[in-house]
Amino acid sequence: MISIGELSRRTNVKVPTIRYYESIGLMPDPGRTEGGQRRYGQDELERLAFIRHARDLGFSIDAIRELIALAGKPGEPCERADVIASRQLAAVRARIARLRKLEAELARIAAACDGHTTGQCQVIAALGDHGLCAGSH
Amino acid sequence: MISIGELSRRTNVKVPTIRYYESIGLMPDPGRTEGGQRRYGQDELERLAFIRHARDLGFSIDAIRELIALAGKPGEPCERADVIASRQLAAVRARIARLRKLEAELARIAAACDGHTTGQCQVIAALGDHGLCAGSH
DNA sequence: CTTGTACCTCTAGCGACTAGAGAAATTAGT
DNA sequence: ACTAATTTCTCTAGTCGCTAGAGGTACAAG
């Protein structure tokens, strides 16, 4: 049985965040000491590690809730879990594609200020004039 | 002089968002009709287009505020604007790098469910066991 | 002059936390 | 056994950038 601080250290999830997860029902009510402090066991540690990992991968709290529910019952859950993971993968790929466009345009804008030779600021001009954009966004 | 709805259509910024920008001081108080409705001119249209464009590029409201302030005074603003844009570019590149790692791991996880042959769900197992991850995150 | 749309203000809510106050419990050291 | 330091407790409110809804008013077209 470990304290919330210890759990926090082992999972890299901040203490207030653990309590927050409990408040929204993502983590179960843990046992308490006589004095009322939370004490966690192996189950909770694993569950929180799972949550942390999924959050790192960009899964929403709701998606995680669903994944946990699926993990709870051993039946034919794989299909649904696969759908969730695949959807997440598609979302990540879309975000990457979008960010790459931004990168190209930002690089162009930042480069405009290159030698500090121009009196007029090209950065601000580029932001103001959408028509200058190379890509369409 | 155009209405808020017309401004919204031309800039692709939703009406409540325009009012929100006004409430936080990002857009100025516009003129009003006798009946109290907002009316905008060319200046406001350009300013909002600037804001929209910068938001699209991921600049924070605070960064935009600073850029607008810089644009207001023609002196030697280019340096500072360049710093802001470059910082934004670096942030975008960092996000891309991070997302690429996630993409790799998600692809691996989703592929585990490939032929639906396994009884045990590999997706959930992969999320639970951080040690299975290829990359370190 | 009516009808229908667009507009007004205001409050509250979203996701996913984060920060702070003030009090009580636990732990480590003597 | 006592003290002091650290940790933990609950609770409220704040963050960011909007978005949604209620209930009411102004404006443009026919």
Side-chain angles (χ1 to χ4, degrees), chain B residues 1-2 7 10 40-48:
Chain B
M1 285 304 195
I2 59 173
L7 182 65
R10 292 204 206 169
Y40 297 91
Q42 190 60 28
D43 280 4
E44 282 101 337
L45 179 67
E46 280 167 21
R47 182 170 180 142
L48 187 55

Side-chain angles (χ1 to χ4, degrees), chain A residues 124 126-130 137, chain B residues 7 11-13 17-22 24-28 40 43-69:
Chain A
I124 287 168
L127 281 169
D129 189 356
H130 191 91
H137 61 107
Chain B
L7 182 65
T11 56
N12 272 322
V13 177
T17 304
I18 297 171
R19 289 197 277 249
Y20 167 72
Y21 285 163
E22 183 186 325
I24 61 168
L26 194 58
M27 286 290 287
Y40 297 91
D43 280 4
E44 282 101 337
L45 179 67
E46 280 167 21
R47 182 170 180 142
L48 187 55
F50 178 97
I51 292 168
R52 168 74 214 245
H53 195 183
R55 285 294 300 137
D56 273 353
L57 292 170
F59 288 88
S60 72
I61 298 281
D62 270 358
I64 293 171
R65 232 188 268 275
E66 200 174 351
L67 286 169
I68 287 175

Side-chain angles (χ1 to χ4, degrees), chain A residues 40-76:
Chain A
Y40 298 91
Q42 191 61 25
D43 281 3
E44 284 101 336
L45 180 67
E46 279 166 23
R47 181 171 181 141
L48 187 54
F50 178 96
I51 293 168
R52 168 74 214 245
H53 194 183
R55 285 294 300 136
D56 273 354
L57 291 170
F59 287 88
S60 72
I61 298 283
D62 271 357
I64 294 171
R65 233 187 267 274
E66 199 175 352
L67 285 170
I68 287 174
L70 289 173
K73 43 186 165 182
E76 35 193 337

Side-chain angles (χ1 to χ4, degrees), chain B residues 83-133:
Chain B
V83 167
I84 295 171
S86 298
R87 200 197 299 139
Q88 185 59 26
L89 177 57
V92 166
R93 286 189 170 144
R95 271 196 279 165
I96 289 174
R98 179 167 159 67
L99 282 173
R100 271 215 264 262
K101 278 191 194 156
L102 300 193
E103 184 194 9
E105 191 176 350
L106 279 169
R108 191 180 54 73
I109 288 175
C113 218
D114 208 10
H116 303 289
T117 48
T118 50
Q120 284 284 39
C121 184
Q122 292 303 312
V123 173
I124 287 168
L127 282 169
D129 188 356
H130 191 92
L132 293 176
C133 298

Side-chain angles (χ1 to χ4, degrees), chain A residues 43-120:
Chain A
D43 281 3
E44 284 101 336
L45 180 67
E46 279 166 23
R47 181 171 181 141
L48 187 54
F50 178 96
I51 293 168
R52 168 74 214 245
H53 194 183
R55 285 294 300 136
D56 273 354
L57 291 170
F59 287 88
S60 72
I61 298 283
D62 271 357
I64 294 171
R65 233 187 267 274
E66 199 175 352
L67 285 170
I68 287 174
L70 289 173
K73 43 186 165 182
E76 35 193 337
C78 205
E79 220 168 307
R80 184 86 189 104
D82 189 34
V83 167
I84 296 170
S86 298
R87 199 196 301 139
Q88 186 59 26
L89 177 57
V92 166
R93 285 188 170 144
R95 272 197 278 165
I96 289 174
R98 178 164 161 68
L99 282 173
R100 271 214 264 263
K101 278 191 194 154
L102 300 195
E103 183 193 9
E105 191 175 349
L106 279 169
R108 191 180 53 73
I109 288 174
C113 218
D114 208 12
H116 303 289
T117 48
T118 49
Q120 284 285 44

